[in-house]
Amino acid sequence: VYSAKSGNDPTVTLSGQYFGIKKGKVYLSGNGLADPKRCKVLSWEMETITLLAPKRIGAGTYDVQAVNKAGQGTSTAAFTLLP
């Protein structure tokens, strides 16, 4: 995962490489979360994933993990949700 853009919109776009064409799962972690929170994936392409941030998380900076059958990738402090 190279970058994640959102602001205060719950729709997030992840940019990177080699996500594959098979839809996988995306999790947010860090920023005081006890457990990683799964996001709803709207679309999954080779270099872009679009998702909805979980509803019950607060403003802050999160780690992003994208996982599918081909593998996984994590980007630390890649996503900031604004209040």
Side-chain angles (χ1 to χ4, degrees):
V1 177
Y2 290 143
S3 65
K5 296 181 180 178
S6 176
N8 58 1
D9 183 342
T11 303
V12 180
T13 300
L14 305 179
S15 298
Q17 289 184 316
Y18 311 115
F19 291 134
I21 56 172
K22 193 135 180 132
K23 189 175 181 179
K25 298 174 185 172
V26 176
Y27 300 91
L28 297 182
S29 61
N31 195 41
L33 292 177
D35 297 306
K37 300 294 182 189
R38 186 170 169 184
C39 303
K40 180 177 180 178
V41 175
L42 301 175
S43 69
W44 188 289
E45 299 175 18
M46 281 297 284
E47 296 181 353
T48 306
I49 301 171
T50 304
L51 57 101
L52 290 176
K55 289 183 179 181
R56 294 186 192 104
I57 64 170
T61 301
Y62 295 89
D63 301 336
V64 178
Q65 181 180 36
V67 180
N68 69 6
K69 290 184 179 190
Q72 66 180 19
T74 302
S75 188
T76 305
F79 169 69
T80 300
L81 182 64
L82 301 175

